[in-house]
Amino acid sequence: MPEPRDAFDETFPCDFYEPSDLFEPELLYTIPEIGRLLQGLNPDAEVDPETEAVLVDWAVPWVLVNADDLVVAEPRTENGPGYYGLAEHAFDEETTEKS
């Protein structure tokens, strides 16, 4: 249900991490792990199922918006999750920027 804007004390800019700021170049992450990273948590942090659902809700659109800078690996098992990581060009840009 929508809420009136004046029901909130404050609003914040909707800024999200760039993939190169969030991911380690040599690692691939699942959607729940990405959700944790977006909230400043370790990818393996323990969270309750309700929190995990919210984190996934944040992670899915982030992956879609940043798809040009990501790669995806097929699940390791038939019913397992997919894994996402930095595309080579995004990693190269990060390396160039830090040089």
Side-chain angles (χ1 to χ4, degrees):
M1 184 78 181
E3 295 287 336
R5 183 180 291 266
D6 61 5
F8 297 91
D9 293 333
E10 191 173 2
T11 60
F12 305 93
C14 194
D15 293 331
F16 292 102
Y17 293 100
E18 293 293 322
S20 62
D21 296 332
L22 197 63
F23 291 168
E24 293 294 327
E26 67 280 357
L27 298 177
L28 298 175
Y29 304 88
T30 64
I31 292 289
E33 291 168 341
I34 294 168
R36 289 178 179 86
L37 290 170
L38 288 168
Q39 294 300 313
L41 301 172
N42 288 326
D44 59 353
E46 291 289 327
V47 295
D48 62 76
E50 289 177 6
T51 301
E52 177 117 329
V54 172
L55 297 180
V56 167
D57 285 347
W58 280 83
V60 170
W62 183 89
V63 166
L64 293 172
V65 166
N66 291 286
D68 289 345
D69 290 333
L70 301 176
V71 295
V72 62
E74 290 190 19
R76 297 174 63 113
T77 61
E78 186 175 327
N79 294 320
Y83 287 82
Y84 301 84
L86 284 176
E88 190 171 323
H89 71 268
F91 173 67
D92 290 343
E93 290 170 9
E94 177 186 76
T95 304
T96 304
E97 289 173 11
K98 290 183 178 180
S99 298

Coordinates of all heavy atoms in Angstrom, one line a residue:
M1 N 0.8 -1.2 0.0 CA 0.0 0.0 0.0 C 0.9 1.2 0.0 O 1.8 1.4 0.8 CB -0.9 -0.1 1.2 CG -1.9 1.0 1.4 SD -3.2 0.6 0.3 CE -4.2 2.0 0.5
P2 N 0.7 2.1 -0.9 CA 1.5 3.4 -0.9 C 1.3 4.2 0.4 O 0.3 4.1 1.0 CB 1.0 4.2 -2.1 CG 0.3 3.1 -3.0 CD -0.2 2.1 -2.0
E3 N 2.4 4.9 0.8 CA 2.3 5.7 2.0 C 2.6 7.2 1.6 O 3.3 7.5 0.6 CB 3.5 5.3 2.9 CG 3.3 3.9 3.5 CD 2.2 3.8 4.5 OE1 1.9 4.8 5.1 OE2 1.7 2.7 4.7
P4 N 1.9 8.1 2.3 CA 2.1 9.5 2.0 C 3.6 9.9 2.3 O 4.2 9.4 3.3 CB 1.2 10.3 2.9 CG 0.5 9.2 3.7 CD 0.9 7.9 3.3
R5 N 4.1 10.7 1.5 CA 5.5 11.2 1.7 C 5.7 11.8 3.0 O 6.7 11.6 3.7 CB 5.9 12.1 0.6 CG 7.4 12.6 0.6 CD 7.7 13.5 -0.5 NE 7.7 12.9 -1.8 CZ 8.8 12.4 -2.3 NH1 10.0 12.5 -1.8 NH2 8.8 11.8 -3.5
D6 N 4.8 12.6 3.5 CA 4.9 13.3 4.7 C 4.8 12.3 6.0 O 5.0 12.7 7.1 CB 4.0 14.5 4.9 CG 2.5 14.1 4.8 OD1 2.2 12.8 4.8 OD2 1.7 15.0 4.8
A7 N 4.6 11.1 5.7 CA 4.6 10.1 6.8 C 6.0 9.7 7.2 O 6.2 9.0 8.2 CB 3.8 8.8 6.4
F8 N 7.0 10.1 6.4 CA 8.4 9.8 6.7 C 9.1 11.0 7.1 O 8.9 12.1 6.5 CB 9.0 9.2 5.4 CG 8.4 7.9 5.0 CD1 7.3 7.9 4.1 CD2 8.8 6.7 5.5 CE1 6.7 6.7 3.8 CE2 8.2 5.5 5.2 CZ 7.1 5.5 4.3
D9 N 10.0 10.9 8.1 CA 10.8 12.0 8.6 C 11.8 12.4 7.6 O 12.1 13.6 7.5 CB 11.5 11.6 9.9 CG 10.6 11.4 11.1 OD1 9.5 12.0 11.0 OD2 10.9 10.6 12.0
E10 N 12.4 11.5 6.8 CA 13.5 11.8 5.9 C 13.5 10.8 4.7 O 13.1 9.7 4.9 CB 14.8 11.7 6.7 CG 16.0 12.2 6.0 CD 17.2 12.2 7.0 OE1 17.1 11.8 8.1 OE2 18.2 12.7 6.5
T11 N 13.9 11.3 3.6 CA 14.2 10.4 2.5 C 15.7 10.6 2.1 O 16.3 11.6 2.4 CB 13.3 10.7 1.3 OG1 13.5 12.1 0.9 CG2 11.8 10.5 1.6
F12 N 16.2 9.6 1.4 CA 17.6 9.6 1.0 C 17.8 9.4 -0.5 O 16.9 8.8 -1.1 CB 18.3 8.5 1.8 CG 18.1 8.5 3.2 CD1 17.1 7.8 3.8 CD2 18.9 9.3 4.0 CE1 16.9 7.9 5.2 CE2 18.7 9.4 5.4 CZ 17.7 8.7 6.0
P13 N 18.9 9.8 -1.1 CA 19.1 9.5 -2.5 C 19.2 8.0 -2.7 O 19.6 7.2 -1.8 CB 20.5 10.1 -2.8 CG 20.7 11.1 -1.6 CD 19.9 10.6 -0.5
C14 N 18.8 7.5 -3.8 CA 18.8 6.1 -4.1 C 20.1 5.8 -4.9 O 20.1 5.5 -6.1 CB 17.5 5.8 -5.0 SG 17.2 4.0 -5.1
D15 N 21.2 5.8 -4.2 CA 22.5 5.5 -4.7 C 22.8 4.1 -4.5 O 22.7 3.6 -3.3 CB 23.6 6.4 -4.2 CG 23.4 7.9 -4.5 OD1 22.8 8.1 -5.6 OD2 23.8 8.7 -3.8
F16 N 23.3 3.4 -5.5 CA 23.8 2.0 -5.3 C 25.2 1.9 -5.7 O 25.7 2.7 -6.5 CB 22.9 1.1 -6.2 CG 21.5 1.0 -5.7 CD1 20.5 1.7 -6.3 CD2 21.1 0.2 -4.6 CE1 19.2 1.6 -5.9 CE2 19.8 0.1 -4.2 CZ 18.9 0.8 -4.8
Y17 N 25.8 0.8 -5.2 CA 27.2 0.5 -5.6 C 27.3 0.2 -7.1 O 26.4 -0.4 -7.7 CB 27.7 -0.8 -4.8 CG 27.8 -0.6 -3.4 CD1 26.8 -1.1 -2.5 CD2 28.9 0.0 -2.8 CE1 26.9 -1.0 -1.1 CE2 29.1 0.1 -1.4 CZ 28.1 -0.4 -0.6 OH 28.2 -0.3 0.8
E18 N 28.5 0.5 -7.6 CA 28.9 0.0 -8.9 C 29.4 -1.4 -8.7 O 30.0 -1.7 -7.7 CB 30.0 0.9 -9.5 CG 29.5 2.3 -9.9 CD 28.5 2.3 -11.0 OE1 28.6 1.5 -11.9 OE2 27.6 3.1 -10.9
P19 N 29.2 -2.3 -9.7 CA 29.7 -3.6 -9.5 C 31.2 -3.7 -9.1 O 31.6 -4.5 -8.3 CB 29.5 -4.3 -10.9 CG 28.3 -3.6 -11.4 CD 28.5 -2.1 -11.0
S20 N 32.0 -2.9 -9.7 CA 33.5 -2.9 -9.4 C 33.8 -2.4 -8.0 O 34.8 -2.7 -7.4 CB 34.3 -2.1 -10.4 OG 33.9 -0.7 -10.4
D21 N 32.8 -1.7 -7.4 CA 33.0 -1.3 -6.0 C 32.5 -2.4 -5.0 O 32.9 -2.4 -3.9 CB 32.1 0.0 -5.7 CG 32.6 1.2 -6.4 OD1 33.8 1.2 -6.8 OD2 31.7 2.0 -6.7
L22 N 31.7 -3.3 -5.5 CA 31.0 -4.3 -4.6 C 31.7 -5.6 -4.7 O 31.9 -6.3 -3.7 CB 29.6 -4.4 -5.1 CG 28.6 -5.1 -4.1 CD1 28.5 -4.3 -2.8 CD2 27.3 -5.2 -4.8
F23 N 32.1 -6.1 -5.9 CA 32.6 -7.4 -6.1 C 34.2 -7.5 -6.1 O 34.8 -6.6 -6.5 CB 32.2 -8.0 -7.4 CG 30.7 -8.2 -7.6 CD1 30.2 -8.5 -8.8 CD2 29.9 -8.3 -6.5 CE1 28.9 -8.8 -9.0 CE2 28.5 -8.5 -6.6 CZ 28.0 -8.8 -7.9
E24 N 34.7 -8.6 -5.6 CA 36.1 -9.0 -5.7 C 36.2 -9.6 -7.1 O 35.4 -10.4 -7.5 CB 36.5 -10.0 -4.7 CG 36.5 -9.5 -3.3 CD 37.6 -8.4 -3.1 OE1 38.6 -8.5 -3.7 OE2 37.3 -7.5 -2.3
P25 N 37.1 -9.1 -8.0 CA 37.2 -9.5 -9.4 C 37.3 -11.0 -9.6 O 36.8 -11.6 -10.6 CB 38.4 -8.8 -9.9 CG 38.6 -7.7 -9.0 CD 38.1 -8.1 -7.6
E26 N 37.9 -11.8 -8.7 CA 38.1 -13.2 -8.8 C 37.0 -14.1 -8.3 O 37.1 -15.3 -8.3 CB 39.5 -13.6 -8.2 CG 39.6 -13.5 -6.7 CD 39.8 -12.1 -6.2 OE1 40.0 -11.1 -6.9 OE2 39.8 -12.0 -5.0
L27 N 36.0 -13.4 -7.7 CA 34.9 -14.2 -7.1 C 33.6 -14.1 -7.9 O 33.3 -13.0 -8.5 CB 34.7 -13.8 -5.7 CG 35.8 -14.0 -4.7 CD1 35.5 -13.4 -3.3 CD2 36.2 -15.4 -4.6
L28 N 32.7 -15.1 -7.8 CA 31.3 -15.0 -8.3 C 30.4 -15.2 -7.1 O 30.7 -15.9 -6.1 CB 31.1 -16.1 -9.3 CG 31.9 -16.1 -10.5 CD1 31.7 -17.4 -11.4 CD2 31.7 -14.9 -11.3
Y29 N 29.2 -14.5 -7.2 CA 28.3 -14.4 -6.0 C 26.9 -14.8 -6.5 O 26.5 -14.6 -7.6 CB 28.2 -13.0 -5.5 CG 29.6 -12.4 -5.1 CD1 30.4 -11.8 -6.1 CD2 30.0 -12.5 -3.8 CE1 31.6 -11.2 -5.7 CE2 31.2 -11.9 -3.4 CZ 32.0 -11.3 -4.4 OH 33.2 -10.8 -4.0
T30 N 26.1 -15.4 -5.5 CA 24.7 -15.7 -5.7 C 23.9 -14.4 -5.4 O 24.4 -13.4 -4.8 CB 24.2 -16.8 -4.8 OG1 24.3 -16.3 -3.4 CG2 25.0 -18.1 -4.9
I31 N 22.7 -14.4 -5.8 CA 21.8 -13.3 -5.6 C 21.7 -13.0 -4.1 O 21.8 -11.8 -3.7 CB 20.4 -13.5 -6.2 CG1 20.5 -13.5 -7.7 CG2 19.4 -12.5 -5.7 CD1 20.7 -12.1 -8.4
P32 N 21.5 -14.0 -3.2 CA 21.4 -13.6 -1.8 C 22.7 -13.0 -1.3 O 22.7 -12.1 -0.4 CB 21.1 -15.0 -1.1 CG 20.4 -15.8 -2.1 CD 21.0 -15.4 -3.4
E33 N 23.9 -13.5 -1.8 CA 25.1 -12.9 -1.4 C 25.3 -11.5 -1.9 O 25.8 -10.6 -1.1 CB 26.3 -13.8 -1.9 CG 26.4 -15.1 -1.2 CD 27.3 -16.1 -1.9 OE1 27.6 -15.9 -3.1 OE2 27.7 -17.1 -1.3
I34 N 24.8 -11.2 -3.1 CA 24.8 -9.8 -3.6 C 23.9 -8.9 -2.7 O 24.3 -7.8 -2.4 CB 24.3 -9.8 -5.1 CG1 25.4 -10.5 -5.9 CG2 24.1 -8.4 -5.5 CD1 24.9 -10.8 -7.3
G35 N 22.8 -9.4 -2.3 CA 21.9 -8.7 -1.4 C 22.6 -8.3 -0.1 O 22.5 -7.2 0.4
R36 N 23.3 -9.2 0.4 CA 24.1 -8.9 1.7 C 25.1 -7.9 1.4 O 25.3 -6.9 2.2 CB 24.7 -10.2 2.2 CG 23.8 -11.2 2.8 CD 24.5 -12.5 3.2 NE 23.6 -13.4 3.8 CZ 23.0 -14.3 3.1 NH1 23.1 -14.4 1.8 NH2 22.2 -15.2 3.7
L37 N 25.9 -8.0 0.3 CA 26.9 -7.0 0.0 C 26.3 -5.6 -0.2 O 26.9 -4.6 0.3 CB 27.7 -7.4 -1.3 CG 28.6 -8.6 -1.2 CD1 29.0 -9.1 -2.6 CD2 29.8 -8.4 -0.3
L38 N 25.2 -5.5 -0.8 CA 24.5 -4.2 -1.0 C 24.1 -3.6 0.3 O 24.0 -2.4 0.4 CB 23.3 -4.4 -1.9 CG 23.5 -4.7 -3.4 CD1 22.2 -5.1 -4.1 CD2 24.1 -3.4 -4.0
Q39 N 24.0 -4.4 1.4 CA 23.7 -3.8 2.7 C 24.9 -3.7 3.6 O 24.8 -3.5 4.8 CB 22.6 -4.7 3.4 CG 21.3 -4.7 2.7 CD 20.7 -3.3 2.6 OE1 20.7 -2.6 3.6 NE2 20.3 -2.9 1.5
G40 N 26.1 -3.9 3.0 CA 27.3 -3.8 3.8 C 27.7 -5.0 4.6 O 28.5 -4.9 5.5
L41 N 27.0 -6.1 4.4 CA 27.3 -7.3 5.1 C 28.3 -8.2 4.4 O 28.5 -8.1 3.2 CB 26.0 -8.1 5.3 CG 24.9 -7.4 6.1 CD1 23.6 -8.2 6.0 CD2 25.2 -7.1 7.5
N42 N 28.9 -9.1 5.1 CA 29.7 -10.2 4.4 C 28.8 -11.1 3.6 O 27.6 -11.3 4.0 CB 30.5 -11.0 5.5 CG 31.6 -10.2 6.1 OD1 32.2 -9.4 5.5 ND2 31.8 -10.5 7.4
P43 N 29.3 -11.6 2.5 CA 28.4 -12.4 1.7 C 27.9 -13.7 2.4 O 26.8 -14.2 2.1 CB 29.3 -12.8 0.5 CG 30.5 -12.1 0.6 CD 30.6 -11.4 1.9
D44 N 28.6 -14.1 3.4 CA 28.2 -15.3 4.1 C 27.5 -15.0 5.5 O 27.3 -15.9 6.3 CB 29.3 -16.3 4.3 CG 30.5 -15.7 5.1 OD1 30.5 -14.5 5.4 OD2 31.5 -16.4 5.4
A45 N 27.2 -13.8 5.7 CA 26.5 -13.4 7.0 C 25.2 -14.1 7.2 O 24.5 -14.3 6.2 CB 26.3 -11.9 7.0
E46 N 25.0 -14.5 8.4 CA 23.7 -15.2 8.8 C 22.6 -14.1 8.9 O 22.8 -13.1 9.5 CB 23.9 -15.9 10.1 CG 24.8 -17.1 10.1 CD 24.2 -18.3 9.3 OE1 22.9 -18.5 9.3 OE2 24.9 -19.0 8.6
V47 N 21.5 -14.3 8.1 CA 20.3 -13.5 8.2 C 19.1 -14.4 8.3 O 19.1 -15.5 7.8 CB 20.2 -12.5 7.1 CG1 21.4 -11.5 7.0 CG2 20.1 -13.2 5.7
D48 N 18.1 -13.9 9.0 CA 16.8 -14.6 9.1 C 16.1 -14.7 7.7 O 16.4 -13.8 6.8 CB 15.9 -14.0 10.2 CG 15.5 -12.6 9.9 OD1 14.6 -12.5 9.0 OD2 16.0 -11.7 10.5
P49 N 15.2 -15.6 7.5 CA 14.6 -15.8 6.2 C 13.8 -14.5 5.7 O 13.8 -14.2 4.5 CB 13.6 -16.9 6.4 CG 14.2 -17.7 7.5 CD 14.9 -16.7 8.4
E50 N 13.2 -13.8 6.6 CA 12.5 -12.6 6.2 C 13.5 -11.5 5.7 O 13.2 -10.8 4.7 CB 11.7 -12.0 7.4 CG 10.5 -12.9 7.7 CD 9.7 -12.4 8.9 OE1 10.0 -11.3 9.4 OE2 8.8 -13.1 9.3
T51 N 14.6 -11.4 6.4 CA 15.6 -10.4 5.9 C 16.2 -10.8 4.6 O 16.4 -10.0 3.7 CB 16.7 -10.2 7.0 OG1 16.1 -9.8 8.2 CG2 17.8 -9.3 6.6
E52 N 16.4 -12.1 4.5 CA 17.0 -12.7 3.2 C 16.0 -12.3 2.1 O 16.5 -11.9 1.0 CB 17.2 -14.2 3.3 CG 17.6 -14.8 2.0 CD 19.0 -15.4 2.1 OE1 19.8 -14.9 2.9 OE2 19.2 -16.3 1.4
A53 N 14.7 -12.5 2.3 CA 13.8 -12.1 1.2 C 13.9 -10.7 0.8 O 13.8 -10.4 -0.4 CB 12.4 -12.5 1.7
V54 N 14.0 -9.8 1.8 CA 14.2 -8.4 1.5 C 15.5 -8.1 0.7 O 15.5 -7.4 -0.3 CB 14.1 -7.5 2.7 CG1 14.4 -6.1 2.5 CG2 12.7 -7.6 3.4
L55 N 16.5 -8.8 1.1 CA 17.8 -8.6 0.5 C 17.8 -9.0 -1.0 O 18.3 -8.4 -1.9 CB 18.9 -9.3 1.2 CG 19.2 -8.8 2.6 CD1 20.3 -9.7 3.3 CD2 19.5 -7.4 2.7
V56 N 17.1 -10.1 -1.2 CA 16.9 -10.6 -2.6 C 16.1 -9.6 -3.4 O 16.4 -9.4 -4.6 CB 16.3 -12.0 -2.6 CG1 15.8 -12.4 -4.0 CG2 17.3 -13.1 -2.1
D57 N 15.1 -9.0 -2.8 CA 14.3 -8.0 -3.5 C 15.1 -6.8 -3.9 O 14.9 -6.2 -5.0 CB 13.1 -7.5 -2.6 CG 12.0 -8.5 -2.5 OD1 12.0 -9.5 -3.3 OD2 11.2 -8.3 -1.6
W58 N 16.2 -6.5 -3.2 CA 17.1 -5.4 -3.5 C 18.1 -5.9 -4.6 O 18.4 -5.1 -5.5 CB 17.8 -4.9 -2.3 CG 17.1 -4.0 -1.5 CD1 16.2 -4.3 -0.5 CD2 17.1 -2.6 -1.5 NE1 15.7 -3.2 0.1 CE2 16.2 -2.1 -0.5 CE3 17.8 -1.6 -2.2 CZ2 16.0 -0.8 -0.2 CZ3 17.6 -0.3 -2.0 CH2 16.8 0.1 -1.0
A59 N 18.5 -7.1 -4.5 CA 19.6 -7.6 -5.4 C 19.2 -7.8 -6.8 O 19.9 -7.5 -7.7 CB 20.2 -8.8 -4.8
V60 N 18.0 -8.3 -7.0 CA 17.5 -8.7 -8.4 C 17.5 -7.5 -9.3 O 18.1 -7.5 -10.4 CB 16.2 -9.4 -8.4 CG1 15.6 -9.6 -9.7 CG2 16.4 -10.8 -7.7
P61 N 16.9 -6.4 -8.9 CA 16.9 -5.2 -9.8 C 18.3 -4.6 -10.0 O 18.6 -4.1 -11.0 CB 15.9 -4.2 -9.2 CG 15.5 -4.7 -7.9 CD 16.0 -6.1 -7.8
W62 N 19.1 -4.7 -8.9 CA 20.5 -4.2 -9.0 C 21.2 -5.0 -10.1 O 22.0 -4.4 -10.9 CB 21.2 -4.3 -7.7 CG 22.6 -3.7 -7.7 CD1 23.0 -2.4 -7.5 CD2 23.8 -4.5 -8.0 NE1 24.3 -2.3 -7.6 CE2 24.9 -3.5 -7.9 CE3 24.1 -5.8 -8.3 CZ2 26.2 -3.9 -8.2 CZ3 25.4 -6.2 -8.5 CH2 26.4 -5.2 -8.5
V63 N 21.1 -6.3 -10.1 CA 21.7 -7.1 -11.1 C 21.2 -6.8 -12.5 O 22.0 -6.6 -13.5 CB 21.5 -8.6 -10.9 CG1 21.9 -9.5 -12.1 CG2 22.3 -9.1 -9.6
L64 N 19.9 -6.6 -12.7 CA 19.4 -6.2 -14.0 C 19.9 -4.9 -14.5 O 20.3 -4.7 -15.6 CB 17.9 -6.2 -13.9 CG 17.2 -7.5 -13.7 CD1 15.7 -7.3 -13.5 CD2 17.4 -8.4 -14.9
V65 N 20.0 -3.9 -13.6 CA 20.5 -2.5 -14.0 C 22.0 -2.6 -14.3 O 22.4 -1.9 -15.2 CB 20.2 -1.5 -12.8 CG1 21.0 -0.2 -13.0 CG2 18.7 -1.2 -12.7
N66 N 22.7 -3.5 -13.7 CA 24.2 -3.5 -13.9 C 24.6 -4.7 -14.8 O 25.8 -5.0 -14.8 CB 24.9 -3.6 -12.5 CG 24.7 -2.3 -11.8 OD1 25.4 -1.3 -12.1 ND2 23.9 -2.3 -10.8
A67 N 23.7 -5.3 -15.5 CA 24.0 -6.5 -16.3 C 25.1 -6.3 -17.3 O 25.9 -7.2 -17.5 CB 22.7 -6.9 -17.0
D68 N 25.3 -5.1 -17.8 CA 26.4 -4.8 -18.8 C 27.8 -5.0 -18.2 O 28.7 -5.3 -18.9 CB 26.3 -3.4 -19.4 CG 25.1 -3.3 -20.3 OD1 24.5 -4.3 -20.7 OD2 24.7 -2.1 -20.6
D69 N 27.9 -4.9 -16.9 CA 29.2 -5.0 -16.2 C 29.3 -6.3 -15.5 O 30.3 -6.5 -14.7 CB 29.4 -3.9 -15.2 CG 29.6 -2.5 -15.9 OD1 30.1 -2.5 -17.0 OD2 29.2 -1.5 -15.3
L70 N 28.4 -7.3 -15.7 CA 28.4 -8.5 -15.0 C 28.5 -9.7 -16.0 O 28.2 -9.6 -17.2 CB 27.1 -8.7 -14.2 CG 26.8 -7.6 -13.1 CD1 25.5 -7.9 -12.5 CD2 28.0 -7.6 -12.1
V71 N 29.0 -10.8 -15.5 CA 28.9 -12.1 -16.1 C 28.1 -13.0 -15.2 O 28.0 -12.8 -14.0 CB 30.3 -12.7 -16.4 CG1 31.1 -11.8 -17.4 CG2 31.1 -12.9 -15.1
V72 N 27.6 -14.1 -15.8 CA 26.9 -15.1 -15.1 C 27.4 -16.5 -15.4 O 27.8 -16.7 -16.5 CB 25.3 -15.0 -15.4 CG1 25.0 -15.3 -16.8 CG2 24.5 -15.9 -14.4
A73 N 27.5 -17.3 -14.3 CA 27.9 -18.7 -14.5 C 26.7 -19.6 -14.2 O 25.9 -19.3 -13.3 CB 29.1 -19.0 -13.5
E74 N 26.6 -20.7 -14.9 CA 25.5 -21.6 -14.7 C 25.6 -22.2 -13.3 O 26.7 -22.3 -12.7 CB 25.6 -22.7 -15.8 CG 25.2 -22.2 -17.1 CD 25.0 -23.3 -18.1 OE1 24.8 -24.5 -17.7 OE2 25.1 -23.1 -19.3
P75 N 24.5 -22.6 -12.8 CA 24.5 -23.2 -11.5 C 25.5 -24.4 -11.5 O 25.6 -25.1 -12.5 CB 23.1 -23.7 -11.3 CG 22.3 -22.8 -12.2 CD 23.2 -22.5 -13.4
R76 N 26.0 -24.7 -10.3 CA 27.0 -25.8 -10.1 C 26.2 -27.1 -10.1 O 26.8 -28.2 -10.3 CB 27.8 -25.6 -8.9 CG 28.7 -24.3 -9.1 CD 29.5 -24.1 -7.8 NE 30.4 -25.2 -7.5 CZ 31.7 -25.1 -7.5 NH1 32.3 -23.9 -7.8 NH2 32.4 -26.1 -7.3
T77 N 25.0 -27.1 -9.6 CA 24.1 -28.3 -9.6 C 22.8 -27.9 -10.3 O 22.5 -26.8 -10.6 CB 23.8 -28.7 -8.1 OG1 23.1 -27.6 -7.5 CG2 25.0 -29.0 -7.4
E78 N 22.1 -29.0 -10.7 CA 20.8 -28.8 -11.5 C 19.9 -27.8 -10.8 O 19.3 -27.0 -11.5 CB 20.1 -30.1 -11.7 CG 19.0 -30.0 -12.6 CD 18.3 -31.4 -12.9 OE1 19.1 -32.4 -12.9 OE2 17.1 -31.4 -13.1
N79 N 19.7 -27.8 -9.6 CA 18.7 -26.9 -8.9 C 19.4 -25.8 -8.1 O 18.8 -25.1 -7.3 CB 17.8 -27.7 -8.0 CG 16.9 -28.6 -8.8 OD1 16.4 -28.2 -9.8 ND2 16.7 -29.8 -8.3
G80 N 20.7 -25.6 -8.3 CA 21.5 -24.6 -7.6 C 21.3 -23.2 -8.1 O 20.8 -23.0 -9.2
P81 N 21.9 -22.2 -7.4 CA 21.8 -20.8 -7.8 C 22.8 -20.5 -8.9 O 23.8 -21.2 -9.1 CB 22.1 -20.1 -6.6 CG 23.0 -21.0 -5.8 CD 22.5 -22.4 -6.1
G82 N 22.5 -19.5 -9.7 CA 23.4 -18.9 -10.6 C 24.4 -18.1 -9.8 O 24.2 -17.7 -8.7
Y83 N 25.6 -17.8 -10.5 CA 26.6 -17.0 -9.8 C 26.9 -15.8 -10.8 O 27.0 -16.0 -12.0 CB 27.9 -17.8 -9.6 CG 27.7 -18.8 -8.5 CD1 27.1 -20.0 -8.7 CD2 28.2 -18.5 -7.2 CE1 26.9 -20.9 -7.6 CE2 28.0 -19.4 -6.2 CZ 27.4 -20.6 -6.4 OH 27.2 -21.5 -5.3
Y84 N 27.1 -14.6 -10.2 CA 27.4 -13.4 -10.9 C 28.7 -12.8 -10.5 O 29.1 -12.9 -9.3 CB 26.3 -12.4 -10.6 CG 24.9 -12.9 -11.0 CD1 24.2 -13.7 -10.2 CD2 24.4 -12.6 -12.3 CE1 22.9 -14.2 -10.6 CE2 23.2 -13.1 -12.7 CZ 22.4 -13.9 -11.8 OH 21.2 -14.4 -12.2
G85 N 29.4 -12.2 -11.4 CA 30.7 -11.5 -11.1 C 30.9 -10.4 -12.1 O 30.1 -10.2 -13.0
L86 N 32.1 -9.8 -11.9 CA 32.5 -8.7 -12.8 C 32.8 -9.2 -14.2 O 33.5 -10.2 -14.3 CB 33.7 -8.0 -12.2 CG 33.5 -7.1 -11.0 CD1 34.9 -6.5 -10.6 CD2 32.6 -5.9 -11.4
A87 N 32.3 -8.5 -15.2 CA 32.7 -8.7 -16.5 C 34.2 -8.3 -16.7 O 34.6 -7.4 -15.9 CB 31.8 -8.0 -17.5
E88 N 34.9 -8.8 -17.6 CA 36.3 -8.5 -17.7 C 36.5 -7.0 -18.0 O 37.4 -6.4 -17.4 CB 36.9 -9.3 -18.9 CG 38.4 -9.2 -18.9 CD 39.1 -10.2 -19.9 OE1 38.6 -11.3 -20.0 OE2 40.0 -9.7 -20.5
H89 N 35.6 -6.4 -18.8 CA 35.8 -5.0 -19.1 C 35.6 -4.1 -17.8 O 36.3 -3.1 -17.6 CB 34.9 -4.5 -20.2 CG 33.5 -4.4 -19.8 ND1 32.6 -5.5 -20.0 CD2 32.7 -3.5 -19.2 CE1 31.4 -5.2 -19.6 NE2 31.5 -3.9 -19.1
A90 N 34.7 -4.6 -16.9 CA 34.5 -3.8 -15.6 C 35.7 -4.0 -14.7 O 36.1 -3.0 -14.0 CB 33.2 -4.3 -14.9
F91 N 36.3 -5.1 -14.7 CA 37.5 -5.4 -13.9 C 38.7 -4.6 -14.5 O 39.4 -4.0 -13.8 CB 37.9 -6.9 -13.9 CG 39.2 -7.2 -13.3 CD1 39.3 -7.0 -11.9 CD2 40.2 -7.7 -14.0 CE1 40.5 -7.3 -11.3 CE2 41.4 -8.0 -13.4 CZ 41.6 -7.8 -12.1
D92 N 38.8 -4.5 -15.8 CA 39.9 -3.7 -16.5 C 39.7 -2.3 -16.2 O 40.7 -1.6 -15.9 CB 39.9 -4.0 -18.0 CG 40.3 -5.3 -18.4 OD1 40.9 -6.0 -17.5 OD2 40.0 -5.7 -19.5
E93 N 38.5 -1.8 -16.2 CA 38.2 -0.4 -15.8 C 38.6 -0.1 -14.4 O 39.2 1.0 -14.1 CB 36.7 0.0 -16.0 CG 36.3 0.0 -17.5 CD 34.8 0.1 -17.6 OE1 34.1 0.3 -16.6 OE2 34.3 -0.1 -18.7
E94 N 38.3 -1.0 -13.5 CA 38.7 -0.8 -12.1 C 40.2 -0.8 -11.9 O 40.7 0.1 -11.2 CB 38.1 -2.0 -11.2 CG 38.5 -1.9 -9.8 CD 38.1 -3.1 -9.0 OE1 38.7 -4.1 -9.1 OE2 37.1 -3.0 -8.2
T95 N 40.9 -1.7 -12.6 CA 42.4 -1.7 -12.5 C 43.0 -0.4 -13.1 O 43.9 0.2 -12.5 CB 42.9 -2.9 -13.3 OG1 42.3 -4.1 -12.8 CG2 44.4 -3.0 -13.2
T96 N 42.4 0.0 -14.2 CA 42.9 1.3 -14.9 C 42.7 2.5 -14.0 O 43.6 3.3 -13.8 CB 42.2 1.5 -16.2 OG1 42.4 0.3 -17.0 CG2 42.7 2.7 -17.0
E97 N 41.5 2.6 -13.3 CA 41.2 3.7 -12.5 C 42.1 3.8 -11.3 O 42.5 4.9 -10.8 CB 39.8 3.6 -12.0 CG 38.8 3.9 -13.1 CD 37.4 3.7 -12.7 OE1 37.1 3.5 -11.5 OE2 36.5 3.7 -13.6
K98 N 42.6 2.6 -10.8 CA 43.4 2.6 -9.6 C 44.9 2.8 -9.9 O 45.7 3.1 -9.0 CB 43.2 1.3 -8.8 CG 41.9 1.2 -8.2 CD 41.7 -0.1 -7.4 CE 40.4 -0.1 -6.7 NZ 40.2 -1.4 -5.9
S99 N 45.2 2.7 -11.2 CA 46.7 2.9 -11.5 C 47.1 4.4 -11.5 O 46.4 5.3 -11.6 CB 46.9 2.4 -12.9 OG 46.6 1.0 -13.0

